[in-house]
């Protein structure tokens, strides 16, 4: 069995240790998220915690396998690492490639669904709460038509407190009984365009992470395969050295050594 190149082995172990630390960090974030209080309606938060736990655990276990297998030059452990890396590469590419192909279509369908929502004052209470939070944080109002998307009931979260003229506009609204209300200033910028920008940014970051991890998984696959082939290759014995001296051996030396 041939031994591995020390520099190659140390590099492989070092990067696997980094990924093991990364997996522990992800697990730590999952634990912190799990300790945060949330009610039964926040099922998406619980799902996010589960995803972080699975991703962090798998990353840590695979990285430890790779580091241990390379350090001990264990063929079986490296084969297990190689199989997991192949499966990880396929899964990541299976997710990333269709996402990249359908990116524009998803953006278009999302905008069409958002445009179907107005008037927003007739939507569910949960959606109204979400819109109120977004409008207060991002300083916007409505989806794509501004305050008009709210119909006759523009919420207070649209109220503009900015001193910039371009950020605010004056509107006149009426109460539930049709009474005239005092003019108010609301945000000019619609939230829908900001939603689409954030969604496009999320797509870009997600695709970058997926393709980046896929490239690292493929690199790990190639490196582990190279180590497996090196370990399983037979050790080459040094060639025999024959003396080509023209002088015959001395009989006295032969007799003494006999």
């Amino acid at each position: 069995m041939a031994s591995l190149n020390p520099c190659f082995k140390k590099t492989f172990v070092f990067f696997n240790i980094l990924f093991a630390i990364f997996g522990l960090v992800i697990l730590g974030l999952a634990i912190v998220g799990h300790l945060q209080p949330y009610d039964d309606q926040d099922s998406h938060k619980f799902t996010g915690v589960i995803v972080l736990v699975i991703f962090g655990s798998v990353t840590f276990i695979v990285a430890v396998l790779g580091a241990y297998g390379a350090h001990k030059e264990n063929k079986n452990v490296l084969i297990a690492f190689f199989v997991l890396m192949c499966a990880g590469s396929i899964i990541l590419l299976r997710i990333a490639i269709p996402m990249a192909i359908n990116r524009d279509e998803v953006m278009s369908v999302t905008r069409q669904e958002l445009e179907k929502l107005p008037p927003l004052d007739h939507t569910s209470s949960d959606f109204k709460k979400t819109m109120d939070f977004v409008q207060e944080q991002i300083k916007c109002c409505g989806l794509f038509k501004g305050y008009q998307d709210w119909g006759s009931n523009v919420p207070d979260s649209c109220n503009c407190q900015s001193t910039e003229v371009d950020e605010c506009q004056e509107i006149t609204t009426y109460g539930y009984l049709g009474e005239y209300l005092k003019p108010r200033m609301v945000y000019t910028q619609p939230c829908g365009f900001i939603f689409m920008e954030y969604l496009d940014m999320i797509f870009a970051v997600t695709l970058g992470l997926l393709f980046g991890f896929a490239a690292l998984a493929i690199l790990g696959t190639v490196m582990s395969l190279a180590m497996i082939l090196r370990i399983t290759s037979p050790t080459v014995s040094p060639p025999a050295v024959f003396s080509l001296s023209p002088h015959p051996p001395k009989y006295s030396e032969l007799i003494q050594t006999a």
Side-chain angles (χ1 to χ4, degrees), residues 85 88-90 92-93 96 208-220:
M85 284 290 97
S89 302
I90 294 172
L92 290 171
L93 291 175
L209 291 175
L210 288 174
F211 280 112
F213 279 115
L216 291 174
I218 293 172
L219 179 62

Side-chain angles (χ1 to χ4, degrees), residues 6 74-75 110 128 141 176 183 223 245:
N74 190 309
K75 182 184 70 175
T110 302
K128 291 178 182 178
C141 183
Y176 290 101
M223 294 179 71
S245 175

Side-chain angles (χ1 to χ4, degrees), residues 3-169:
S3 60
L4 298 176
N5 181 283
C7 182
F8 183 81
K9 182 171 71 173
K10 289 179 180 179
T11 302
F12 187 81
V13 172
F14 173 74
F15 279 105
N16 275 281
I17 291 175
L18 289 183
F19 277 104
I21 295 173
F22 176 73
L24 289 176
V25 171
I26 297 297
L27 281 174
L29 293 176
I31 293 173
V32 171
H34 179 68
L35 295 177
Q36 297 296 323
Y38 55 88
D39 52 31
D40 296 336
Q41 296 180 352
D42 294 333
S43 59
H44 60 284
K45 293 183 180 180
F46 183 73
T47 304
V49 170
I50 295 296
V51 171
L52 288 178
V53 169
I54 295 175
F55 181 76
S57 301
V58 171
T59 302
F60 176 77
I61 293 172
V62 173
V64 170
L65 280 177
Y68 177 81
H71 179 69
K72 295 295 185 179
E73 299 187 12
N74 190 309
K75 182 184 70 175
N76 294 329
V77 176
L78 285 174
I79 290 175
F81 178 83
F82 172 78
V83 172
L84 291 174
M85 284 290 97
C86 288
S89 302
I90 294 172
I91 293 172
L92 290 171
L93 291 175
R94 182 66 181 83
I95 297 173
I97 293 176
M99 183 181 293
I101 294 174
N102 299 321
R103 178 178 178 179
D104 293 337
E105 183 179 354
V106 172
M107 294 285 293
S108 177
V109 171
T110 302
R111 175 161 183 170
Q112 291 175 8
E113 292 299 322
L114 288 175
E115 290 177 343
K116 294 178 182 178
L117 289 175
L120 299 179
D121 56 344
H122 294 162
T123 56
S124 64
S125 58
D126 291 338
F127 185 80
K128 291 178 182 178
K129 291 179 181 179
T130 302
M131 284 297 300
D132 285 336
F133 176 78
V134 170
Q135 290 173 159
E136 290 176 354
Q137 298 298 319
I138 306 182
K139 312 299 182 184
C140 58
C141 183
L143 287 176
F144 296 100
K145 297 180 181 179
Y147 74 94
Q148 297 177 4
D149 290 331
W150 283 101
S152 58
N153 299 317
V154 182
D156 293 338
S157 58
C158 283
N159 291 344
C160 181
Q161 306 296 332
S162 176
T163 57
E164 298 292 335
V165 179
D166 296 338
E167 294 184 9
C168 304
Q169 60 178 325

